[in-house]
Protein backbone atom coordinates (compact mmCIF):
# COMPACT_ATOMS: atom_id res chain seq x y z
CA UNK A 1 0.00 0.00 0.00
CA UNK A 2 1.42 3.33 -1.04
CA UNK A 3 1.34 6.11 1.53
CA UNK A 4 2.25 9.00 -0.77
CA UNK A 5 0.35 8.30 -3.99
CA UNK A 6 -2.81 10.41 -4.01
CA UNK A 7 -3.03 14.20 -4.04
CA UNK A 8 -4.41 14.17 -0.50
CA UNK A 9 -1.63 11.89 0.74
CA UNK A 10 1.03 14.07 -0.87
CA UNK A 11 -0.39 17.19 0.72
CA UNK A 12 -0.47 15.46 4.11
CA UNK A 13 3.14 14.39 3.70
CA UNK A 14 4.15 17.93 2.74
CA UNK A 15 2.34 19.40 5.75
CA UNK A 16 4.09 16.90 8.00
CA UNK A 17 7.49 17.96 6.60
CA UNK A 18 6.59 21.65 6.87
CA UNK A 19 5.63 21.26 10.55
CA UNK A 20 9.29 20.64 11.40
CA UNK A 21 10.62 24.22 11.63
CA UNK A 22 13.96 23.47 9.97
CA UNK A 23 15.28 27.02 9.63
CA UNK A 24 18.91 26.98 8.45
CA UNK A 25 21.19 26.63 11.47
CA UNK A 26 18.39 25.67 13.89
CA UNK A 27 18.12 22.61 16.11
CA UNK A 28 15.11 21.52 14.03
CA UNK A 29 17.28 21.50 10.90
CA UNK A 30 19.56 19.02 12.68
CA UNK A 31 16.57 16.88 13.66
CA UNK A 32 14.98 16.91 10.20
CA UNK A 33 17.06 14.08 8.65
CA UNK A 34 15.90 11.75 11.42
CA UNK A 35 12.29 12.52 10.57
CA UNK A 36 12.83 11.83 6.86
CA UNK A 37 14.79 8.66 7.58
CA UNK A 38 12.05 7.65 10.03
CA UNK A 39 9.34 8.03 7.38
CA UNK A 40 11.38 6.20 4.75
CA UNK A 41 12.37 3.41 7.11
CA UNK A 42 8.72 2.42 7.34
CA UNK A 43 8.71 1.56 3.62
CA UNK A 44 8.81 -2.24 3.29
CA UNK A 45 11.70 -1.81 0.85
CA UNK A 46 13.93 -0.17 3.47
CA UNK A 47 12.85 -2.61 6.14
CA UNK A 48 14.29 -5.22 3.83
CA UNK A 49 17.30 -3.10 2.79
CA UNK A 50 18.09 -0.85 5.77
CA UNK A 51 21.68 -0.50 4.51
CA UNK A 52 20.47 1.55 1.53
CA UNK A 53 18.97 4.24 3.77
CA UNK A 54 21.80 6.32 5.23
CA UNK A 55 22.65 9.51 7.06
CA UNK A 56 26.00 11.18 6.43
CA UNK A 57 27.55 13.97 8.51
CA UNK A 58 28.62 17.23 6.86
CA UNK A 59 31.69 19.07 8.18
CA UNK A 60 29.76 20.72 11.02
CA UNK A 61 27.81 17.64 12.09
CA UNK A 62 24.59 18.51 10.27
CA UNK A 63 23.40 15.47 8.36
CA UNK A 64 22.28 14.66 4.86
CA UNK A 65 20.13 11.68 3.94
CA UNK A 66 20.51 9.26 1.04
CA UNK A 67 18.00 6.55 0.16
CA UNK A 68 18.59 4.22 -2.76
CA UNK A 69 15.93 2.04 -4.36
CA UNK A 70 17.43 -0.36 -6.83
CA UNK A 71 15.59 -1.37 -9.96
CA UNK A 72 14.24 -4.93 -10.03
CA UNK A 73 16.02 -5.36 -13.36
CA UNK A 74 19.70 -4.98 -12.47
CA UNK A 75 21.30 -1.89 -13.98
CA UNK A 76 23.86 0.69 -12.93
CA UNK A 77 21.81 3.57 -14.39
CA UNK A 78 20.78 5.86 -11.55
CA UNK A 79 18.96 9.16 -11.18
CA UNK A 80 19.74 11.35 -8.17
CA UNK A 81 16.70 13.19 -6.83
CA UNK A 82 18.04 16.25 -5.03
CA UNK A 83 16.29 18.46 -2.49
CA UNK A 84 17.15 20.62 0.50
CA UNK A 85 15.19 20.61 3.72
CA UNK A 86 16.28 23.83 5.39
CA UNK A 87 14.02 26.86 5.14
CA UNK A 88 14.54 30.59 5.65
CA UNK A 89 13.47 32.61 8.68
CA UNK A 90 9.88 33.49 9.58
CA UNK A 91 10.21 36.97 11.15
CA UNK A 92 8.46 38.43 8.14
CA UNK A 93 5.25 36.56 9.06
CA UNK A 94 4.72 39.05 11.90
CA UNK A 95 1.38 38.35 13.57
CA UNK A 96 1.09 35.05 11.66
CA UNK A 97 4.46 33.78 12.83
CA UNK A 98 3.21 31.01 15.11
CA UNK A 99 1.25 29.54 12.18
CA UNK A 100 4.04 29.72 9.60
CA UNK A 101 4.78 26.01 9.87
CA UNK A 102 1.14 24.88 9.93
CA UNK A 103 0.32 25.10 6.27
CA UNK A 104 -3.35 24.14 6.23
CA UNK A 105 -4.14 26.23 9.29
CA UNK A 106 -2.30 29.27 7.93
CA UNK A 107 -4.09 28.89 4.59
CA UNK A 108 -7.45 28.84 6.43
CA UNK A 109 -6.50 31.88 8.51
CA UNK A 110 -5.59 33.79 5.35
CA UNK A 111 -8.92 32.77 3.82
CA UNK A 112 -10.73 34.22 6.83
CA UNK A 113 -8.80 37.52 6.78
CA UNK A 114 -8.64 38.51 3.08
CA UNK A 115 -8.50 42.21 3.98
CA UNK A 116 -5.06 41.64 5.57
CA UNK A 117 -3.56 40.34 2.31
CA UNK A 118 -2.06 42.06 -0.74
CA UNK A 119 -4.42 41.97 -3.79
CA UNK A 120 -2.61 39.32 -5.82
CA UNK A 121 -2.36 37.07 -2.77
CA UNK A 122 -6.04 37.49 -1.95
CA UNK A 123 -7.00 36.36 -5.45
CA UNK A 124 -4.91 33.21 -5.02
CA UNK A 125 -6.34 32.49 -1.56
CA UNK A 126 -9.84 32.76 -2.91
CA UNK A 127 -9.13 30.39 -5.78
CA UNK A 128 -8.62 27.71 -3.13
CA UNK A 129 -5.80 26.26 -5.19
CA UNK A 130 -2.88 27.52 -3.09
CA UNK A 131 -1.25 26.27 0.07
CA UNK A 132 0.63 28.78 2.25
CA UNK A 133 3.43 28.23 4.76
CA UNK A 134 7.20 28.44 5.18
CA UNK A 135 8.86 25.81 3.06
CA UNK A 136 5.80 24.66 1.09
CA UNK A 137 7.44 25.69 -2.20
CA UNK A 138 11.05 26.22 -1.09
CA UNK A 139 11.39 23.32 -1.11
CA UNK A 140 9.67 20.68 0.93
CA UNK A 141 7.17 20.04 -1.85
CA UNK A 142 10.11 18.85 -3.95
CA UNK A 143 11.22 16.52 -1.19
CA UNK A 144 7.68 15.13 -0.75
CA UNK A 145 7.39 14.46 -4.49
CA UNK A 146 10.81 12.77 -4.47
CA UNK A 147 9.79 10.59 -1.52
CA UNK A 148 6.74 9.51 -3.51
CA UNK A 149 9.07 8.60 -6.42
CA UNK A 150 11.03 6.31 -4.09
CA UNK A 151 7.80 4.58 -3.19
CA UNK A 152 6.93 4.13 -6.86
CA UNK A 153 10.46 2.87 -7.52
CA UNK A 154 10.11 0.29 -4.75
CA UNK A 155 6.87 -0.74 -6.41
CA UNK A 156 8.83 -1.60 -9.55
CA UNK A 157 7.64 1.30 -11.67
CA UNK A 158 11.10 2.25 -13.00
CA UNK A 159 13.77 0.36 -14.91
CA UNK A 160 16.60 2.18 -13.19
CA UNK A 161 17.84 3.04 -9.70
CA UNK A 162 16.47 6.04 -7.85
CA UNK A 163 18.68 7.73 -5.26
CA UNK A 164 17.06 10.34 -3.05
CA UNK A 165 19.42 12.96 -1.63
CA UNK A 166 18.11 15.48 0.92
CA UNK A 167 20.56 18.05 2.28
CA UNK A 168 20.67 20.87 4.88
CA UNK A 169 21.94 24.44 4.58
CA UNK A 170 21.08 25.21 0.96
CA UNK A 171 19.84 28.65 1.93
CA UNK A 172 23.13 29.72 3.54
CA UNK A 173 26.40 28.01 2.63
CA UNK A 174 25.40 24.69 1.04
CA UNK A 175 27.33 22.76 3.67
CA UNK A 176 25.09 19.77 2.89
CA UNK A 177 25.58 19.61 -0.87
CA UNK A 178 29.31 20.27 -0.64
CA UNK A 179 29.53 17.25 1.68
CA UNK A 180 27.20 15.23 -0.54
CA UNK A 181 29.38 15.28 -3.66
CA UNK A 182 32.15 13.03 -2.25
CA UNK A 183 29.46 10.87 -0.61
CA UNK A 184 27.79 10.32 -4.00
CA UNK A 185 31.04 9.51 -5.79
CA UNK A 186 31.95 7.02 -3.05
CA UNK A 187 28.51 5.43 -3.22
CA UNK A 188 28.81 5.10 -6.99
CA UNK A 189 31.97 3.06 -6.51
CA UNK A 190 30.69 1.03 -3.60
CA UNK A 191 27.30 0.19 -5.06
CA UNK A 192 28.13 0.13 -8.76
CA UNK A 193 26.03 3.13 -9.72
CA UNK A 194 26.27 5.30 -12.82
CA UNK A 195 24.58 8.64 -12.46
CA UNK A 196 22.57 9.59 -15.52
CA UNK A 197 20.98 12.75 -14.18
CA UNK A 198 20.80 14.91 -11.06
CA UNK A 199 17.20 16.07 -10.89
CA UNK A 200 16.49 18.94 -8.52
CA UNK A 201 12.97 19.96 -7.51
CA UNK A 202 13.25 23.60 -6.53
CA UNK A 203 10.15 25.60 -7.41
CA UNK A 204 10.41 26.63 -11.04
CA UNK A 205 11.87 30.02 -11.82
CA UNK A 206 9.22 32.23 -13.38
CA UNK A 207 10.69 34.61 -15.95
CA UNK A 208 7.23 35.56 -17.27
CA UNK A 209 4.32 36.61 -15.15
CA UNK A 210 2.02 34.36 -17.16
CA UNK A 211 0.64 31.92 -14.59
CA UNK A 212 -0.32 29.32 -17.17
CA UNK A 213 3.23 28.53 -18.32
CA UNK A 214 5.43 26.02 -16.48
CA UNK A 215 9.20 25.83 -16.72
CA UNK A 216 11.99 23.38 -16.26
CA UNK A 217 15.61 24.52 -16.01
CA UNK A 218 18.74 22.94 -17.44
CA UNK A 219 21.02 24.50 -14.87
CA UNK A 220 21.36 27.21 -12.29
CA UNK A 221 22.98 30.58 -11.98
CA UNK A 222 26.37 30.97 -10.30
CA UNK A 223 27.22 33.34 -7.49
CA UNK A 224 30.38 34.91 -6.15
CA UNK A 225 30.78 37.25 -3.19
CA UNK A 226 33.63 39.64 -4.05
CA UNK A 227 34.78 41.82 -1.19
CA UNK A 228 36.84 44.99 -1.01
CA UNK A 229 38.85 45.78 2.07
CA UNK A 230 39.29 49.56 2.20
CA UNK A 231 42.29 50.60 4.24
CA UNK A 232 42.62 54.38 4.52
CA UNK A 233 44.67 56.30 7.03
CA UNK A 234 43.95 56.82 10.69
CA UNK A 235 43.60 60.30 12.10
CA UNK A 236 41.77 62.25 14.76
CA UNK A 237 38.41 63.60 13.58
CA UNK A 238 39.69 67.09 14.29
CA UNK A 239 42.34 66.64 11.58
CA UNK A 240 40.38 64.74 8.94
CA UNK A 241 42.65 65.74 6.06
CA UNK A 242 45.52 63.94 7.78
CA UNK A 243 43.73 60.65 7.20
CA UNK A 244 41.43 58.83 4.79
CA UNK A 245 38.11 57.42 5.89
CA UNK A 246 37.55 53.71 5.11
CA UNK A 247 33.79 54.09 5.17
CA UNK A 248 34.05 56.77 2.51
CA UNK A 249 36.26 54.51 0.36
CA UNK A 250 33.73 51.69 0.65
CA UNK A 251 30.97 54.09 -0.33
CA UNK A 252 32.82 54.99 -3.55
CA UNK A 253 33.19 51.29 -4.39
CA UNK A 254 29.50 50.68 -3.86
CA UNK A 255 28.70 53.72 -5.98
CA UNK A 256 30.83 52.20 -8.75
CA UNK A 257 29.65 48.56 -8.63
CA UNK A 258 26.03 48.79 -7.47
CA UNK A 259 23.69 47.54 -10.24
CA UNK A 260 26.42 47.86 -12.88
CA UNK A 261 24.85 46.16 -15.91
CA UNK A 262 28.24 45.60 -17.56
CA UNK A 263 28.53 42.58 -15.24
CA UNK A 264 25.28 41.05 -16.55
CA UNK A 265 25.69 38.01 -18.77
CA UNK A 266 23.08 36.89 -21.25
CA UNK A 267 22.67 33.27 -22.35
CA UNK A 268 19.89 31.94 -24.57
CA UNK A 269 17.83 35.05 -23.92
CA UNK A 270 18.22 34.80 -20.15
CA UNK A 271 19.76 37.92 -18.62
CA UNK A 272 21.49 37.64 -15.23
CA UNK A 273 20.65 40.35 -12.67
CA UNK A 274 23.37 42.95 -11.89
CA UNK A 275 25.56 43.00 -8.76
CA UNK A 276 24.27 44.52 -5.59
CA UNK A 277 25.81 45.31 -2.21
CA UNK A 278 25.23 42.82 0.61
CA UNK A 279 27.61 44.07 3.31
CA UNK A 280 29.17 47.46 3.91
CA UNK A 281 30.62 48.16 7.32
CA UNK A 282 33.42 49.67 9.30
CA UNK A 283 36.00 47.25 10.72
CA UNK A 284 36.49 49.36 13.84
CA UNK A 285 35.39 47.38 16.87
CA UNK A 286 34.43 50.34 19.03
CA UNK A 287 33.44 53.98 18.84
CA UNK A 288 36.18 56.57 19.11
CA UNK A 289 37.20 59.91 17.66
CA UNK A 290 39.66 58.19 15.36
CA UNK A 291 38.07 58.04 11.92
CA UNK A 292 37.00 54.54 10.79
CA UNK A 293 40.01 54.02 8.56
CA UNK A 294 39.27 50.37 7.77
CA UNK A 295 36.02 49.18 6.20
CA UNK A 296 34.74 46.38 4.01
CA UNK A 297 32.15 46.08 1.25
CA UNK A 298 30.88 42.81 -0.26
CA UNK A 299 28.70 42.29 -3.29
CA UNK A 300 26.40 39.63 -4.63
CA UNK A 301 27.58 38.83 -8.15
CA UNK A 302 25.66 36.40 -10.37
CA UNK A 303 27.21 34.57 -13.33
CA UNK A 304 25.86 32.35 -16.11
CA UNK A 305 29.12 31.12 -17.63
CA UNK A 306 31.95 33.32 -16.38
CA UNK A 307 34.64 31.74 -14.26
CA UNK A 308 36.30 33.45 -11.31
CA UNK A 309 39.36 34.15 -13.51
CA UNK A 310 37.20 36.19 -15.81
CA UNK A 311 35.68 38.18 -12.96
CA UNK A 312 38.94 39.37 -11.43
CA UNK A 313 39.90 41.93 -14.08
CA UNK A 314 36.55 43.77 -14.15
CA UNK A 315 36.34 43.69 -10.34
CA UNK A 316 39.83 45.21 -10.11
CA UNK A 317 38.65 47.80 -12.64
CA UNK A 318 35.91 48.80 -10.22
CA UNK A 319 38.49 49.28 -7.46
CA UNK A 320 40.79 51.30 -9.76
CA UNK A 321 37.99 53.65 -10.82
CA UNK A 322 36.90 54.07 -7.20
CA UNK A 323 40.52 54.73 -6.17
CA UNK A 324 40.93 57.48 -8.79
CA UNK A 325 37.66 59.05 -7.72
CA UNK A 326 38.66 58.96 -4.06
CA UNK A 327 41.94 60.73 -4.92
CA UNK A 328 40.24 63.36 -7.09
CA UNK A 329 37.49 64.07 -4.66
CA UNK A 330 39.86 64.27 -1.72
CA UNK A 331 42.06 66.75 -3.65
CA UNK A 332 39.01 68.86 -4.48
CA UNK A 333 37.94 68.97 -0.85
CA UNK A 334 41.45 69.86 0.31
CA UNK A 335 41.55 72.71 -2.21
CA UNK A 336 38.21 74.03 -1.08
CA UNK A 337 39.26 73.80 2.57
CA UNK A 338 42.55 75.58 1.78
CA UNK A 339 40.67 78.35 -0.04
CA UNK A 340 38.86 79.01 3.21
CA UNK A 341 42.15 79.31 5.02
CA UNK A 342 42.69 75.68 6.01
CA UNK A 343 46.00 73.90 5.57
CA UNK A 344 46.89 72.40 2.19
CA UNK A 345 47.76 68.69 1.90
CA UNK A 346 49.86 66.78 -0.63
CA UNK A 347 48.12 64.35 -3.01
CA UNK A 348 48.21 60.61 -2.38
CA UNK A 349 47.63 57.45 -4.42
CA UNK A 350 45.28 54.64 -3.42
CA UNK A 351 46.84 51.27 -4.27
CA UNK A 352 44.70 48.44 -5.63
CA UNK A 353 45.75 44.86 -4.85
CA UNK A 354 44.36 41.36 -4.99
CA UNK A 355 44.33 39.35 -1.77
CA UNK A 356 46.95 37.01 -3.19
CA UNK A 357 49.31 39.93 -3.88
CA UNK A 358 48.84 41.37 -0.40
CA UNK A 359 49.48 37.98 1.19
CA UNK A 360 52.61 37.55 -0.89
CA UNK A 361 53.98 40.95 0.16
CA UNK A 362 53.17 40.16 3.80
CA UNK A 363 54.89 36.77 3.62
CA UNK A 364 58.01 38.25 2.04
CA UNK A 365 58.14 41.19 4.45
CA UNK A 366 57.27 39.52 7.74
CA UNK A 367 57.69 35.80 7.12
CA UNK A 368 54.91 33.22 6.82
CA UNK A 369 54.94 32.39 10.52
CA UNK A 370 54.15 35.93 11.62
CA UNK A 371 51.44 36.29 8.99
CA UNK A 372 49.80 33.07 10.15
CA UNK A 373 49.94 34.29 13.74
CA UNK A 374 48.29 37.57 12.81
CA UNK A 375 45.46 35.76 11.00
CA UNK A 376 44.97 33.36 13.91
CA UNK A 377 44.91 36.24 16.40
CA UNK A 378 42.26 38.03 14.33
CA UNK A 379 40.17 34.85 14.22
CA UNK A 380 40.32 34.60 17.99
CA UNK A 381 38.97 38.10 18.38
CA UNK A 382 35.89 37.36 16.30
CA UNK A 383 32.64 37.51 18.25
CA UNK A 384 31.14 34.11 19.07
CA UNK A 385 29.09 32.77 16.17
CA UNK A 386 30.84 35.00 13.63
CA UNK A 387 30.07 33.80 10.12
CA UNK A 388 32.31 33.07 7.14
CA UNK A 389 31.99 36.62 5.83
CA UNK A 390 33.21 38.16 9.08
CA UNK A 391 36.01 35.62 9.29
CA UNK A 392 37.16 36.36 5.74
CA UNK A 393 37.11 40.12 6.30
CA UNK A 394 38.99 39.72 9.59
CA UNK A 395 41.73 37.70 7.88
CA UNK A 396 42.28 40.28 5.11
CA UNK A 397 42.16 43.03 7.71
CA UNK A 398 44.83 41.32 9.81
CA UNK A 399 47.21 41.10 6.85
CA UNK A 400 46.45 44.66 5.78
CA UNK A 401 47.25 45.83 9.31
CA UNK A 402 50.66 44.16 9.03
CA UNK A 403 51.20 45.82 5.65
CA UNK A 404 49.98 49.25 6.74
CA UNK A 405 53.00 50.81 5.02
CA UNK A 406 51.11 50.19 1.75
CA UNK A 407 48.06 52.22 2.82
CA UNK A 408 45.90 53.74 1.55
CA UNK A 409 44.83 50.65 -0.36
CA UNK A 410 41.88 48.64 -1.62
CA UNK A 411 42.23 44.86 -1.48
CA UNK A 412 39.98 42.65 -3.61
CA UNK A 413 39.13 39.24 -2.19
CA UNK A 414 36.39 36.62 -2.40
CA UNK A 415 34.30 35.62 0.59
CA UNK A 416 32.24 32.43 0.88
CA UNK A 417 29.97 31.14 -0.47
CA UNK A 418 30.81 30.49 -4.10
CA UNK A 419 28.34 28.76 -6.41
CA UNK A 420 29.78 27.77 -9.78
CA UNK A 421 27.30 28.42 -12.60
CA UNK A 422 26.10 25.24 -14.25
CA UNK A 423 23.97 24.36 -17.24
CA UNK A 424 23.38 21.23 -19.31
CA UNK A 425 21.89 23.40 -22.06
CA UNK A 426 24.43 22.07 -24.56
CA UNK A 427 23.94 18.43 -23.56
CA UNK A 428 21.98 16.62 -26.30
CA UNK A 429 20.67 14.08 -23.77
CA UNK A 430 19.21 16.81 -21.54
CA UNK A 431 17.83 18.73 -24.52
CA UNK A 432 16.15 15.59 -25.86
CA UNK A 433 14.75 14.82 -22.42
CA UNK A 434 13.40 18.37 -22.03
CA UNK A 435 11.65 18.10 -25.42
CA UNK A 436 10.07 14.77 -24.49
CA UNK A 437 8.83 16.21 -21.20
CA UNK A 438 7.30 19.22 -22.94
CA UNK A 439 5.47 16.98 -25.42
CA UNK A 440 4.25 14.72 -22.64
CA UNK A 441 3.07 17.61 -20.46
CA UNK A 442 1.10 19.05 -23.38
CA UNK A 443 -0.49 15.76 -24.42
CA UNK A 444 -1.22 14.39 -21.00
CA UNK A 445 -2.02 17.51 -19.00
CA UNK A 446 -2.59 20.26 -21.55
CA UNK A 447 0.29 22.03 -19.84
CA UNK A 448 2.82 24.28 -21.52
CA UNK A 449 6.22 23.27 -20.15
CA UNK A 450 9.08 25.43 -21.43
CA UNK A 451 12.82 25.05 -20.89
CA UNK A 452 15.24 27.63 -19.54
CA UNK A 453 19.02 27.41 -19.59
CA UNK A 454 19.34 28.50 -15.95
CA UNK A 455 17.29 28.66 -12.80
CA UNK A 456 17.48 32.21 -11.53
CA UNK A 457 18.32 31.37 -7.92
CA UNK A 458 21.42 29.75 -6.47
CA UNK A 459 20.81 26.00 -6.28
CA UNK A 460 22.81 23.10 -4.92
CA UNK A 461 23.07 21.88 -8.52
CA UNK A 462 26.08 24.23 -8.73
CA UNK A 463 28.18 21.60 -7.00
CA UNK A 464 27.60 18.96 -9.63
CA UNK A 465 30.91 18.93 -11.46
CA UNK A 466 31.68 20.97 -14.54
CA UNK A 467 34.71 22.21 -16.46
CA UNK A 468 33.95 25.81 -15.56
CA UNK A 469 33.97 24.99 -11.86
CA UNK A 470 37.38 23.35 -12.08
CA UNK A 471 38.72 26.35 -13.97
CA UNK A 472 37.65 28.62 -11.12
CA UNK A 473 39.35 26.77 -8.33
CA UNK A 474 42.87 28.17 -8.67
CA UNK A 475 41.84 31.80 -8.66
CA UNK A 476 39.28 31.24 -5.94
CA UNK A 477 41.72 29.39 -3.70
CA UNK A 478 44.29 32.16 -4.19
CA UNK A 479 41.97 35.06 -3.46
CA UNK A 480 39.70 33.60 -0.79
CA UNK A 481 41.04 34.03 2.75
CA UNK A 482 40.80 30.89 4.92
CA UNK A 483 40.26 28.73 1.83
CA UNK A 484 40.59 25.09 2.86
CA UNK A 485 40.45 26.00 6.54
CA UNK A 486 37.02 27.45 7.10
CA UNK A 487 35.46 27.00 3.68
CA UNK A 488 36.15 24.81 0.69
CA UNK A 489 34.45 23.37 -2.34
CA UNK A 490 35.04 19.70 -3.18
CA UNK A 491 36.44 20.41 -6.64
CA UNK A 492 38.25 17.07 -6.79
CA UNK A 493 35.10 15.11 -6.11
CA UNK A 494 33.22 17.41 -8.49
CA UNK A 495 35.70 16.44 -11.21
CA UNK A 496 34.50 12.85 -10.80
CA UNK A 497 30.86 13.89 -10.60
CA UNK A 498 30.20 15.36 -14.03
CA UNK A 499 26.55 14.47 -14.41
CA UNK A 500 23.85 16.20 -16.47
CA UNK A 501 21.50 18.32 -14.38
CA UNK A 502 17.91 19.46 -14.55
CA UNK A 503 15.49 21.23 -12.26
CA UNK A 504 11.87 20.19 -12.47
CA UNK A 505 9.88 21.58 -9.60
CA UNK A 506 6.52 22.86 -8.43
CA UNK A 507 4.87 26.14 -9.27
CA UNK A 508 4.96 28.57 -6.36
CA UNK A 509 5.12 32.25 -5.60
CA UNK A 510 6.88 34.56 -3.14
CA UNK A 511 9.73 32.33 -1.94
CA UNK A 512 11.37 33.77 1.20
CA UNK A 513 8.32 36.00 1.84
CA UNK A 514 5.44 35.59 4.31
CA UNK A 515 3.18 34.96 1.35
CA UNK A 516 5.18 31.91 0.17
CA UNK A 517 2.65 29.63 -1.49
CA UNK A 518 2.36 26.52 -3.57
CA UNK A 519 0.00 25.77 -6.43
CA UNK A 520 -1.71 22.57 -5.30
CA UNK A 521 -3.05 21.23 -8.62
CA UNK A 522 0.36 21.33 -10.18
CA UNK A 523 2.31 20.18 -7.13
CA UNK A 524 0.27 17.14 -6.19
CA UNK A 525 -1.26 16.19 -9.54
CA UNK A 526 0.69 17.09 -12.67
CA UNK A 527 4.20 17.46 -11.29
CA UNK A 528 4.55 13.95 -9.79
CA UNK A 529 3.31 12.49 -13.05
CA UNK A 530 5.80 14.48 -15.15
CA UNK A 531 8.67 13.63 -12.77
CA UNK A 532 7.79 9.93 -13.01
CA UNK A 533 7.71 10.22 -16.80
CA UNK A 534 11.10 11.95 -16.69
CA UNK A 535 12.56 8.96 -14.80
CA UNK A 536 11.04 6.55 -17.31
CA UNK A 537 12.61 8.42 -20.24
CA UNK A 538 16.03 8.50 -18.54
CA UNK A 539 15.82 4.76 -17.86
CA UNK A 540 14.83 3.81 -21.40
CA UNK A 541 17.38 1.30 -22.57
CA UNK A 542 18.96 1.09 -19.15
CA UNK A 543 19.42 -2.67 -19.39
CA UNK A 544 22.35 -2.90 -21.70
CA UNK A 545 20.57 -2.31 -25.02
CA UNK A 546 21.94 1.20 -25.15
ZN1 LIG B 1 15.35 26.49 -2.04
Amino acid sequence: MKRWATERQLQDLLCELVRIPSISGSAAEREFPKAVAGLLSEMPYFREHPELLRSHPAEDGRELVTALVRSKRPTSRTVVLLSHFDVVEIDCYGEWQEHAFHAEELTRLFYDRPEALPDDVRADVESGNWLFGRGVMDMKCGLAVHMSMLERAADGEFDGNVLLLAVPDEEVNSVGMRAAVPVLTAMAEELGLEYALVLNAEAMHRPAEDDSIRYLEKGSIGKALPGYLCYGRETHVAQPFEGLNGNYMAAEITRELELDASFCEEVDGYLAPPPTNLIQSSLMTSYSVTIPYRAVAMFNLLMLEKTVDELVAPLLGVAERAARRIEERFAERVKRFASLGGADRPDFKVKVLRYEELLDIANRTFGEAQVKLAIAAAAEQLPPGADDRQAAAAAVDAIALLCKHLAPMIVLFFAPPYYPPISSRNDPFVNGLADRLSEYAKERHGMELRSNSHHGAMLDLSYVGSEEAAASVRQLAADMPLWGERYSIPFEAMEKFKVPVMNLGPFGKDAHKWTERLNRDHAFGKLPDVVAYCLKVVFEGANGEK
Side-chain angles (χ1 to χ4, degrees), residues 370-403:
Q370 195 182 339
V371 172
K372 279 207 174 104
L373 272 178
I375 295 174
E380 260 170 46
Q381 280 169 26
L382 283 170
D387 73 8
D388 288 344
R389 268 64 53 191
Q390 287 168 287
V396 190
D397 190 37
I399 304 169
L401 269 163
L402 275 179
C403 297

Side-chain angles (χ1 to χ4, degrees), residues 84 138-139 170-171 202:
H84 69 83
D138 186 8
M139 67 167 283
E170 193 260 6
E171 300 288 0
E202 190 67 82

Side-chain angles (χ1 to χ4, degrees), residues 84 86-88 137-140 170-171 200 202-203 455 457-459 511-512:
H84 69 83
D86 61 316
V87 298
V88 295
M137 71 174 279
D138 186 8
M139 67 167 283
K140 287 175 177 173
E170 193 260 6
E171 300 288 0
N200 195 38
E202 190 67 82
H455 193 285
M458 287 69 73
L459 304 181
H512 296 212

Side-chain angles (χ1 to χ4, degrees), residues 224-232 246-258 260 263 275-283 293-301 311-323 326 350-355 358 389 392-394 396-397 400 409-415 479 481:
L225 192 64
Y228 295 91
L229 182 101
C230 301
Y231 197 120
N247 283 353
Y248 164 61
M249 297 169 75
E252 286 292 0
I253 289 185
T254 297
R255 187 177 182 278
E256 194 63 44
L257 184 51
E258 182 70 15
D260 180 355
F263 280 88
T276 190
N277 182 282
L278 279 177
I279 292 172
Q280 185 168 325
S281 66
S282 161
L283 291 168
Y293 63 103
R294 283 142 48 221
V296 69
M298 297 187 202
F299 297 82
N300 193 74
L301 182 56
L311 294 175
V312 169
L315 288 170
L316 284 173
V318 165
E320 289 288 355
R321 289 193 297 279
I326 291 163
V350 177
K351 288 187 192 62
V352 172
L353 300 149
R354 286 192 297 112
Y355 174 74
L358 179 70
R389 268 64 53 191
V396 190
D397 190 37
M409 63 181 146
I410 297 171
V411 184
L412 170 68
F413 64 99
F414 289 93
D479 281 328

Side-chain angles (χ1 to χ4, degrees), residues 18-34:
V18 167
R19 264 195 299 278
I20 306 168
S22 50
I23 296 172
S24 317
S26 68
E29 186 196 23
R30 288 179 181 268
E31 290 304 310
F32 197 95
K34 294 186 187 68

